[in-house]
């Protein structure tokens, strides 16, 4: 009986040990991997090595120039010796991670008979037009026609004429006579052609300004900073809003044919710029919209004036009325036409020298433009309020178009002396101006996209808690691919494709960077984890651990007893 | 000590002393209860909301179908590209046209004031912008005049066919106030019909709610699949259109949404005149939200432009309904004026409005027996509201004569009869008891019941009485009857009479 009892106890002990062991095994074999698997944050694979390569950006910009010698510039013997192509490289290192290389590929040839005919036109503008009809040169490349000194195409003091398309006329200087050696001639032409290139396609200052997102520039002169601040950031789309502010609908009813004016003046420019960005235009009329400042009455002029200091305070109160764009998140360019009320007119904007600004307009960097349109000249003594007024849209749109060009970064560079730039065409934008914009926009897009992607990769690397979903990995990969393509196209000189790819890159990188799913587990600190796990695991682990310890100590004691028995 | 404590804590409970003045020789008086009942028993057929919208008391203006003759100036061929700093010395040229193109949009505003049976005032603002345009077709609508740009963009971007959104604070008490012009639930309500060109309605709905939440500064972004439904029988489109496939309908409410100034400001911004001119100057938030009921709404729908429904136009209707409780304490007479209600008077109509009117509902009192409206107007208008023919005094703000010599309009409504008088002084915890005095005319052979609701308050632990099983004692009500003073009290003490008969 005693024995049976003893057996029972031993049996029970064994069973308990077995149970504890099996629970421990289940916990370790099933529980731990299960917990590990279910609490894992999902992190899709990112092309880290390629991103690291991108962080070290080496951009090469290639520009093609065709130099065409007209009759009377080279002798027939020289013609045969003219080299076909010549490549020139120029390297700049902007900072430790960014390097720039410009490659100018110059091709030389003599003019065809048709081109000679075209060059025989009486004026440079006509020559430019007929040369354009002869051959269409691709986006980003230039043709420079070298004309003899005796040519009557250009006025006396002008050496270089820059046309509306992608052609320029270059007059050989007086000191180089026909018959000099070809090397001398080419050496003489080279700096001039480079100047033409800097005006018509890109200059180093433009490109470094476009890199400002990536590279912290040392503050240069004030003017260049102001220039770079004025232009809107590169974006795949812009919203242009024209607002007519009528603070006094009781005294005048204003009518503006904005629809027709947009079609006539703005749309041609935007059609031309369609490859750079998408634009959408809308307009609205705001009543009782006041300016934030009280204009000062100048009795000597008999008019109200706004000083340049007060212009800065005009925008904020108006902006509350403008309303944000509900339909898209693209940047908005605002153009306001302010018609002062009868009590405060005429209203003139004065510049810092206390002189009246002739256009009565000003613009605010990266925001838009405001024009004051006085209508007081109309109400005579017998005027019956409200007066119906039609706004002269040609006058208004001329100013807004100039401001739009400035804000979009289509600005004519300061041409060196001796250069004559052709006046603008109907579209308001010359082909080479578009090229310039495309060069700097491509570089800017590449710079922005690389910074976005590298900082995203850094962030994801630093914070291990962030879930990286497949769609984000996809966006990142497509951004990286587009960036590589854009850089390659820039290198090859295919400007249009480069811009296209850079736009895709910027879109994909922004979408990845601002994806809301990246935020989910971002702020999930360790102590919170403990707070969740301890109440769950501690009560379960303590008995398991204790019984395991007991089993171990029992086993040890048994072995000792056995040894003692043996001894 | 105990007694002192008792008396202090007794103040916690609602203590009301009811003073009922009964008039002994009451002739043809009506009990207050009956009077109230008439408001409810009005034959009002609550049909679909379609009818309600259609039967607003608007005087229908004939919209003549005018071929709008748009004149377009021959524009200069070359584009001016001078810089802003480039001098342009040409003097500004003005072109004035006697025949200005007739605008395709139209704005109307009106205010309906209805004295309610309960003595409260119901004010309903209606602003309507009509625009003869088409958001549905492919060409982009982008030039806005009176129609707000933000809403126009929403309509065209999300292919909205109809949008109804309302923000309401408080409950509409139908028993006391009758039917509202357009009912709306407490909190925020949004229902939208999409065009049948929308492929992913749920996704569009989600984006739309997010955008609307930004426009109206409301928490509409909390609308998701958990509180969105697709009613199949109710919420038929209120505008024209024959698509009633409820797949394109979404409805959601946020009952906890609290409506406040930040919702009113963007709502006012949608009006062409803002709150600068016209009826909207009355919309001062500090007064509007100090009311028993406040509801603001935006309804967008396509409507017919003419009787034959040849042309379609879009209607944006902004409504704001508010009920003011005018039983101010300590004041015997019920009096009401624009200034008292909105702390503003009207000086002009919105110059952009083609019609700007105030209606005062005098259906219940056509002879001016119960209340008096001043300044008096001879203009009367009748309209069917919810199947009920109602009469309104009309004030046309576009006429200068409405404003009189003082150049401002301050409508007064004064109740003539003094059959009811209520004086109520709310208590302050541990300071002051409640006081409720009511003057009631009791008809003969009737039972008048006065009930008072009260809530229990929590006591501090030191405030418990030694015998809490007793509860608290409420002071008795007092009924005083107004009888001629000769009968009631004799102040002449010289006459010989028993003492009990003199006081």
């Amino acid at each position: 009986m005693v024995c049976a009892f003893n057996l029972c106890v031993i049996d029970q002990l064994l069973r308990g040990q077995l149970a504890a062991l099996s629970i421990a095994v289940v916990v370790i074999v099933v529980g731990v991997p299960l917990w590990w698997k279910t609490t894992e944050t999902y992190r899709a694979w990112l092309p880290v090595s390629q991103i690291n390569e991108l962080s070290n950006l080496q951009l090469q910009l290639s520009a093609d120039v065709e130099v065409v010698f007209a009759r009377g510039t080279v002798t027939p013997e020289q013609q045969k010796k003219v080299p076909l192509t010549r490549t020139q490289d120029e390297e700049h290192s902007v900072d430790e991670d960014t390097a720039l290389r410009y490659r100018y590929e110059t091709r030389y040839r003599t003019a065809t008979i048709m081109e000679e005919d075209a060059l025989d036109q009486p004026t440079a503008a006509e020559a430019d037009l007929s040369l354009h009809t002869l051959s269409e040169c691709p986006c980003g490349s230039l043709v420079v026609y070298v004309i003899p000194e005796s040519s009557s195409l250009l006025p006396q003091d002008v050496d270089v004429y820059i046309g509306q398309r992608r052609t320029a006329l270059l007059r050989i200087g007086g000191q180089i006579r026909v018959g000099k050696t070809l090397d001398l001639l080419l050496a003489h032409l080279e700096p001039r052609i480079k100047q033409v290139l800097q005006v018509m396609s890109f200059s180093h200052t433009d490109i470094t300004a476009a890199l400002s997102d990536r590279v912290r520039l040392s503050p240069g002169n004030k003017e260049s900073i102001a220039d770079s601040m004025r232009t809107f950031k590169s974006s795949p789309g812009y919203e242009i809003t024209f607002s007519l502010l009528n603070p006094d609908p009781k005294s005048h009813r204003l009518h503006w044919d904005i629809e027709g004016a947009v079609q006539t003046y703005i749309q041609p420019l935007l059609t031309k710029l369609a490859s750079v960005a998408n634009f959408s235009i809308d307009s609205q009329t705001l009543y009782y919209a006041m300016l934030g400042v009280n204009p000062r009455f100048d009795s000597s002029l008999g008019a109200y004036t706004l000083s340049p200091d007060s212009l800065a305070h005009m925008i904020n109160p108006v902006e509350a009325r403008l309303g944000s764009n509900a339909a898209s998140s693209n940047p908005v360019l605002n153009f306001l036409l302010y018609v002062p009320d009868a009590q405060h007119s005429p209203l003139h904007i004065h510049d810092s020298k206390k002189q009246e600004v002739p256009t009565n307009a000003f613009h605010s960097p990266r925001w838009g433009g405001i024009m004051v349109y006085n209508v007081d000249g109309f109400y005579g003594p017998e005027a019956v309020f409200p007066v119906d007024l039609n706004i002269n849209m040609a006058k208004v749109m001329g100013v807004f178009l100039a401001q739009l060009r400035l804000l979009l970064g289509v600005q004519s560079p300061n041409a060196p002396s001796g250069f004559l730039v052709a006046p603008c065409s109907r579209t308001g934008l010359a082909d080479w101006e578009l090229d310039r914009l495309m060069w700097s926009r491509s570089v800017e897009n590449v710079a922005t996209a690389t910074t976005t992607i590298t900082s995203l990769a850094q962030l994801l690397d630093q914070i291990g808690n962030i879930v990286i979903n497949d769609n984000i990995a996809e966006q990142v990969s497509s951004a990286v691919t587009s960036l590589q393509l854009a850089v390659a196209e820039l290198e090859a000189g295919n400007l249009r494709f480069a811009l296209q790819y850079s736009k895709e890159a910027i879109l994909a990188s922004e979408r990845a960077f601002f994806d809301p799913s990246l935020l989910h587990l971002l702020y999930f600190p360790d102590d919170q984890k403990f707070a969740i796990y301890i109440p769950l695991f501690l009560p379960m682990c303590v008995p398991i651990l204790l019984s395991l310890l007991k089993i171990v100590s029992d086993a040890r004691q048994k072995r000792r007893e056995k040894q003692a028995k043996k001894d | 000590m105990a007694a002192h404590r008792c008396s202090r804590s007794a103040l916690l409970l609602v203590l009301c002393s009811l003073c009922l003045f009964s008039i002994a020789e009451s002739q043809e008086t009506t009990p207050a209860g009956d009077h109230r009942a008439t408001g409810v028993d009005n034959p009002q057929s609550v049909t679909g909301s379609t009818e309600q919208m259609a039967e607003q008391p608007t005087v229908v203006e004939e919209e003549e179908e005018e071929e709008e003759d748009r004149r377009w100036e021959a524009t200069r061929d070359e584009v001016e590209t001078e810089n802003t700093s480039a001098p342009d010395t040409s003097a500004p040229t003005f072109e004035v046209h006697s025949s200005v193109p007739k605008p395709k949009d139209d704005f109307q505003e009106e205010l309906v004031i209805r004295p309610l049976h309960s003595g409260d005032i119901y004010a309903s603002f209606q602003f309507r912008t009509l625009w003869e345009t088409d958001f549905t077709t492919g060409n982009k609508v982008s030039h806005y005049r009176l129609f707000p740009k933000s809403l126009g963009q929403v309509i065209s971007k999300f292919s909205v066919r109809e949008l109804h959104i309302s923000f309401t604070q408080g409950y509409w008490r139908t028993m006391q106030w009758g039917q509202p012009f357009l009912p709306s639930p407490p909190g925020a309500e949004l229902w939208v019909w999409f065009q049948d060109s929308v492929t992913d309605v749920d996704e569009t709905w989600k984006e739309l709610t997010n955008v609307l939440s930004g426009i109206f500064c409301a928490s509409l972004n909390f609308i998701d699949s958990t509180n969105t439904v697709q009613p199949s029988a109710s919420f038929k489109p209120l505008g024209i259109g024959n698509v009633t496939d409820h797949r394109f309908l979404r409805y959601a409410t946020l009952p906890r949404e609290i409506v406040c100034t930040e919702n009113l400001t963007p709502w006012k911004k949608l009006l062409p005149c803002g709150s600068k001119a016209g009826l909207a100057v009355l919309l001062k938030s500090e007064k509007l939200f100090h009311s028993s009921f406040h509801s603001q709404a935006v309804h967008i729908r396509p409507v017919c432009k003419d009787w034959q429904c040849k042309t379609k136009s879009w209607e944006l209707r902004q409504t704001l309904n508010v009920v003011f409780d005018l039983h101010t304490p300590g004041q015997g007479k019920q009096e009401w004026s624009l200034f008292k209600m909105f702390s503003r008077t009207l000086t002009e109509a919105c110059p952009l409005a083609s019609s700007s009117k105030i209606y005062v509902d005098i259906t219940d009192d056509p002879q001016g027996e119960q209340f008096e409206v001043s300044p008096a107007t001879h203009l009367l208008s009748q309209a069917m509201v919810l199947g009920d023919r109602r009469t309104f005094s009309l004030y046309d703000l576009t006429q200068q004569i409405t404003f009189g010599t003082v150049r401002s309009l301050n409508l007064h409504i004064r109740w003539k009869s003094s059959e009811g008088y209520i004086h109520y002084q709310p208590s302050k915890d541990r300071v002051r008891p409640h006081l409720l005095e009511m003057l009631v005319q009791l008809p003969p052979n009737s039972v008048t019941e006065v009930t008072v609701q009260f809530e229990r308050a929590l006591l501090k632990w030191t405030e418990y009485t030694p015998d809490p099983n007793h509860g608290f004692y409420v002071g008795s009500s007092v009924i005083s009857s107004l009888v001629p003073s000769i009968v009631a009290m004799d102040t002449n003490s010289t006459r010989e009479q028993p003492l009990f008969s003199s006081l």
Side-chain angles (χ1 to χ4, degrees):
Chain A
M1 188 65 202
V2 173
C3 181
F5 177 73
N6 236 350
L7 263 175
C8 260
V9 169
I10 287 167
D11 195 37
Q12 254 178 3
L13 246 170
L14 247 170
R15 206 186 287 164
Q17 281 180 352
L18 264 174
L21 261 175
S22 53
I23 286 173
V25 165
V26 167
V27 165
I28 289 161
V29 174
V30 181
V32 171
L34 198 71
W35 166 75
W36 188 257
K37 189 75 198 152
T38 46
T39 56
E40 201 180 36
T41 50
Y42 180 73
R43 288 170 75 86
W45 178 83
L46 292 181
V48 179
S49 61
Q50 290 174 40
I51 292 171
N52 286 340
E53 270 170 40
L54 280 176
S55 73
N56 200 347
L57 187 66
Q58 291 206 321
L59 269 182
Q60 179 178 314
L61 309 185
S62 310
D64 286 347
V65 195
E66 206 169 349
V67 178
V68 182
F69 292 102
R71 201 184 306 133
T73 47
V74 282
T75 57
E77 304 88 65
Q78 283 175 335
Q79 260 184 38
K80 286 171 198 153
K81 280 193 261 171
V82 164
L84 279 178
T85 52
R86 188 185 265 196
T87 314
Q88 245 188 325
D89 280 351
E90 204 179 294
E91 270 192 67
H92 298 271
S93 120
V94 183
D95 69 356
E96 61 265 29
D97 288 337
T98 316
L100 281 172
R101 183 197 288 179
Y102 306 124
R103 166 169 292 191
Y104 306 108
E105 283 189 1
T106 325
R107 273 176 292 144
Y108 298 97
R109 66 178 174 89
T110 49
T112 60
I113 300 163
M114 310 247 282
E115 283 170 338
E116 290 292 353
D117 286 348
L119 286 172
D120 281 341
Q121 302 274 349
T123 61
E126 283 171 52
D128 182 43
L129 181 66
S130 39
L131 283 173
H132 169 68
T133 50
L134 281 179
S135 65
E136 180 111 26
C137 59
C139 192
S141 61
L142 294 177
V143 186
V144 180
Y145 290 92
V146 182
I147 54 173
E149 200 206 350
S150 55
S151 168
S152 59
L153 278 176
L154 302 180
Q156 214 33 241
D157 51 342
V158 174
D159 289 334
V160 178
Y161 174 83
I162 291 171
Q164 284 181 11
R165 281 90 195 179
R166 299 189 174 94
T167 49
L169 304 179
L170 198 157
R171 197 209 316 247
I172 289 184
Q175 66 275 37
I176 301 291
R177 297 261 171 258
V178 179
K180 286 257 178 129
T181 60
L182 187 69
D183 287 341
L184 257 175
L185 178 69
L186 292 183
H188 166 73
L189 283 178
E190 203 173 274
R192 312 300 305 272
I193 288 174
K194 206 160 179 188
Q195 267 184 329
V196 172
L197 263 170
Q198 279 184 352
V199 172
M200 291 180 75
S201 48
F202 52 82
S203 65
H204 185 58
T205 43
D206 285 350
I207 299 300
T208 43
L211 283 172
S212 63
D213 235 26
R214 213 188 136 80
V215 182
R216 192 171 294 275
L217 288 177
S218 55
N221 58 335
K222 261 188 185 164
E223 206 164 293
S224 72
I225 292 177
D227 275 350
S228 65
M229 299 258 290
R230 181 187 303 128
T231 311
F232 266 85
K233 282 268 179 221
S234 177
S235 150
Y238 298 95
E239 313 283 328
I240 301 174
T241 303
F242 294 98
S243 305
L244 172 64
L245 307 188
N246 185 355
D248 192 10
K250 268 202 291 183
S251 27
H252 36 241
R253 279 196 215 112
L254 301 172
H255 305 279
W256 68 339
D257 184 12
I258 185 70
E259 220 165 330
V262 163
Q263 277 306 322
T264 319
Y265 301 106
I266 306 290
Q267 202 56 53
L269 174 71
L270 299 186
T271 318
K272 196 130 195 209
L273 284 172
S275 56
V276 180
N278 301 323
F279 293 92
S280 76
I281 302 178
D282 42 36
S283 77
Q284 59 181 346
T285 311
L286 297 177
Y287 301 92
Y288 292 103
M290 304 288 182
L291 295 184
V293 287
N294 284 327
R296 196 168 292 156
F297 186 70
D298 194 333
S299 48
S300 63
L301 295 167
Y304 288 86
T305 58
L306 282 170
S307 63
D309 305 330
S310 61
L311 295 182
H313 307 291
M314 263 174 82
I315 292 170
N316 277 7
V318 177
E319 191 156 29
R321 289 288 309 274
L322 291 179
S324 57
N325 200 317
S328 81
S329 50
N330 288 331
V332 183
L333 284 86
N334 291 294
F335 293 100
L336 312 186
L337 184 67
Y338 179 76
V339 180
D341 48 338
Q343 283 83 41
H344 290 100
S345 48
L347 177 65
H348 293 297
I349 297 174
H350 278 199
D351 60 12
S352 47
K353 292 183 204 97
K354 304 241 164 171
Q355 292 299 305
E356 223 170 83
V357 176
T359 52
N360 223 359
F362 69 98
H363 66 261
S364 169
R366 291 187 187 176
W367 186 82
I370 297 186
M371 180 178 178
V372 177
Y373 190 91
N374 286 314
V375 293
D376 62 300
F378 175 70
Y379 348 110
E382 77 286 350
V384 183
F385 293 108
V387 183
D388 278 303
L389 289 169
N390 267 12
I391 287 168
N392 179 2
M393 292 311 279
K395 180 177 150 69
V396 172
M397 281 297 155
V399 175
F400 282 163
L401 195 59
Q403 288 177 340
L404 181 65
R405 277 169 56 94
L406 279 174
L407 293 169
L408 288 179
V410 192
Q411 57 206 28
S412 318
N414 297 327
S417 63
F419 275 57
L420 178 69
V421 179
C424 261
S425 64
R426 259 193 69 84
T427 56
L429 188 70
D431 285 354
W432 58 268
E433 281 180 311
L434 180 66
D435 285 357
R436 268 182 82 87
L437 187 67
M438 282 164 83
W439 280 116
S440 60
R441 281 292 144 103
S442 313
V443 173
E444 191 181 336
N445 287 350
V446 167
T448 314
T450 48
T451 10
T452 313
I453 281 291
T454 43
S455 53
L456 176 65
Q458 252 174 27
L459 184 82
L460 293 179
D461 189 42
Q462 274 170 12
I463 306 176
N465 270 338
I466 301 182
V467 176
I468 308 174
N469 285 331
D470 281 334
N471 65 324
I472 289 171
E474 231 169 80
Q475 298 285 4
V476 171
S477 314
S478 84
V480 169
T481 327
S482 306
L483 267 176
Q484 286 167 338
L485 282 170
V487 171
E489 294 292 350
L490 274 180
E491 217 161 292
N494 296 332
L495 190 49
R496 200 171 286 275
F497 289 113
L499 183 66
Q500 186 56 38
Y501 286 127
S502 71
K503 263 179 9 190
E504 280 166 22
I506 213 166
L507 275 178
S509 64
E510 303 269 293
R511 236 176 292 150
F513 195 85
F514 292 109
D515 197 285
S517 73
L518 286 182
L519 280 174
H520 280 184
L521 280 179
L522 189 53
Y523 304 108
F524 203 64
D526 282 339
D527 39 352
Q528 253 184 41
K529 273 185 212 164
F530 283 113
I532 291 168
Y533 288 138
I534 283 177
L536 206 69
F537 288 141
L538 205 64
M540 196 181 75
C541 287
V542 167
I544 292 174
L545 281 178
L546 284 181
S547 53
L548 280 181
L549 280 177
K550 196 156 184 290
I551 290 167
V552 172
S553 64
D554 277 359
R556 230 181 244 166
Q557 204 170 352
K558 251 182 202 167
R559 205 188 296 155
R560 215 172 287 151
E561 271 172 26
K562 265 186 190 168
Q563 224 138 37
K565 263 184 191 172
K566 267 184 190 171
D567 291 342
Chain B
M1 185 62 203
H4 170 69
R5 207 180 269 170
C6 180
S7 70
R8 255 188 62 195
S9 47
L11 299 176
L12 290 172
L13 263 195
V14 181
L15 173 111
C16 67
S17 34
L18 304 170
C19 315
L20 284 127
F21 299 86
S22 65
I23 297 171
E25 56 274 274
S26 56
Q27 299 106 342
E28 351 100 88
T29 51
T30 48
D34 269 11
H35 192 101
R36 219 169 259 177
T38 53
V40 186
D41 292 344
N42 270 344
Q44 284 160 342
S45 57
V46 185
T47 50
S49 37
T50 324
E51 213 175 308
Q52 297 174 25
M53 283 290 276
E55 289 172 356
Q56 304 277 341
T58 46
V59 183
V60 181
E61 264 101 20
E62 292 285 322
E63 317 268 10
E64 57 275 73
E65 252 189 295
E66 232 180 68
E67 289 291 297
E68 48 113 25
D69 46 334
R70 300 187 47 206
R71 287 195 54 186
W72 163 229
E73 262 58 60
T75 46
R76 287 160 60 182
D77 267 1
E78 75 280 355
V79 179
E80 288 186 25
T81 51
E82 80 261 281
N83 223 320
T84 38
S85 55
D88 180 2
T89 45
S90 65
T93 50
F94 299 101
E95 282 139 277
V96 187
H97 289 270
S98 49
S99 65
V100 175
K102 183 177 178 276
K104 283 182 152 189
D105 43 4
D106 176 57
F107 175 67
Q108 297 173 356
E109 54 179 8
E110 65 183 42
L111 165 64
V112 185
I113 292 162
R114 181 190 288 174
L116 298 169
H117 301 293
S118 58
D120 298 334
I121 286 280
Y122 174 31
S124 171
F125 290 86
Q126 305 258 346
F127 301 93
R128 182 167 80 152
T129 311
L130 270 176
W131 191 17
E132 193 187 320
T133 187
D134 203 356
F135 286 106
T136 52
T137 52
N139 52 347
K140 208 168 157 272
V141 178
S142 49
H143 301 288
Y144 299 89
R145 203 178 77 96
L146 294 177
F147 205 89
K149 181 165 81 91
S150 53
L151 286 183
Q153 281 177 335
V154 166
I155 296 173
S156 48
K157 185 180 181 196
F158 299 106
S159 305
V160 171
R161 196 151 68 91
E162 236 174 66
L163 187 147
H164 303 272
I165 185 166
S166 73
F167 299 99
T168 308
Q169 188 75 27
Y171 297 91
W172 181 268
R173 295 171 204 287
T174 315
M175 293 289 278
Q176 297 170 28
W177 297 341
Q179 286 295 320
F181 288 123
L182 194 68
S184 55
E189 182 199 40
L190 173 68
W191 58 286
V192 176
W193 277 92
F194 291 98
Q195 310 271 3
D196 44 11
S197 56
V198 177
T199 47
D200 189 351
V201 180
D202 285 315
E203 186 57 30
T204 318
W205 167 252
K206 194 169 161 44
E207 278 179 45
L208 173 71
T209 52
N210 277 311
V211 169
L212 287 177
S213 131
I215 290 178
F216 291 104
C217 286
S219 331
L220 297 172
N221 51 330
F222 287 102
I223 291 178
D224 53 17
S225 61
T226 59
N227 47 20
T228 301
V229 289
Q230 293 180 44
S232 56
S234 190
F235 297 101
K236 290 293 168 222
L238 301 185
I240 52 170
N242 42 15
V243 183
T244 48
D245 187 349
H246 69 269
R247 277 186 299 133
F248 299 106
L249 170 65
R250 291 292 181 277
Y251 173 87
T253 50
L254 294 172
R256 277 200 63 178
E257 180 73 10
I258 291 173
V259 185
C260 201
T261 324
E262 78 264 18
N263 307 111
L264 182 69
T265 312
W267 185 91
K268 282 197 286 192
K269 247 202 252 178
L270 300 174
L271 297 169
C273 280
S275 50
K276 296 276 172 41
L279 292 173
V281 295
L282 300 178
L283 304 175
K284 296 282 284 179
S285 57
E286 63 262 38
K287 284 285 182 182
L288 284 184
F289 290 104
H290 194 78
S291 57
S292 314
F293 176 81
H294 170 100
S295 170
Q296 59 186 69
V298 169
H299 303 277
I300 299 172
R301 57 174 181 157
V303 293
C304 291
K305 181 82 179 159
D306 43 32
W307 288 113
Q308 290 89 33
C309 211
K310 275 182 196 153
T311 46
K312 199 162 111 174
S313 50
W314 283 77
E315 184 197 69
L316 163 69
R317 193 187 281 251
Q318 290 179 254
T319 62
L320 191 141
N321 296 309
V322 61
V323 175
F324 287 100
D325 176 8
L326 291 168
H327 286 299
T328 39
Q331 201 174 4
K333 50 184 184 286
Q334 283 180 35
E335 205 185 291
W336 173 91
S337 71
L338 277 186
F339 187 78
K340 230 170 123 178
M341 210 157 70
F342 301 107
S343 73
R344 281 292 154 93
T345 57
L346 288 170
T347 53
E348 57 175 351
C350 170
L352 307 163
S354 61
S355 102
S356 176
K357 287 176 179 135
I358 297 183
Y359 296 86
V360 180
D361 193 336
I362 51 165
T363 315
D364 301 325
D365 182 39
Q367 308 305 319
E369 283 159 352
Q370 291 171 25
F371 53 84
E372 179 194 6
V373 184
S374 68
T377 176
H378 59 277
L379 284 169
L380 284 180
S381 121
Q382 287 211 327
M384 292 287 284
V385 185
L386 305 168
D388 188 15
R389 179 167 291 280
R390 301 197 78 91
T391 317
F392 298 91
S393 304
L394 176 68
Y395 296 84
D396 190 350
L397 298 187
T398 46
Q399 315 257 297
Q400 203 51 50
I401 196 163
T402 312
F403 299 105
T405 48
V406 286
R407 301 212 167 273
S408 91
L409 176 66
N410 186 18
L411 272 179
H412 269 277
I413 293 183
R414 205 171 283 119
W415 267 262
K416 281 178 178 168
S417 56
S418 57
E419 65 176 60
Y421 168 82
I422 295 179
H423 174 212
Y424 174 63
Q425 191 184 36
S427 78
K428 282 183 186 163
D429 265 2
R430 298 171 179 87
V431 177
R432 188 176 81 182
H434 288 277
L435 170 68
L436 175 64
E437 281 181 297
M438 289 161 64
L439 179 65
V440 182
Q441 273 192 357
L442 295 180
N445 300 322
S446 68
V447 179
T448 300
E449 196 176 311
V450 177
T451 53
V452 178
Q453 276 193 340
F454 61 88
E455 287 173 355
R456 290 182 177 82
L458 281 176
L459 293 182
K460 286 181 183 166
W461 69 278
T462 51
E463 287 170 343
Y464 279 90
T465 50
D467 44 2
N469 56 320
H470 283 222
F472 291 97
Y473 293 94
V474 177
S476 353
S477 319
V478 178
I479 301 180
S480 320
S481 56
L482 237 99
V483 287
S485 64
I486 306 166
V487 184
M489 194 160 55
D490 189 5
T491 45
N492 192 353
S493 56
T494 53
R495 220 182 305 162
E496 191 76 17
Q497 54 185 338
L499 284 178
F500 64 80
S501 68
S502 65
L503 193 72

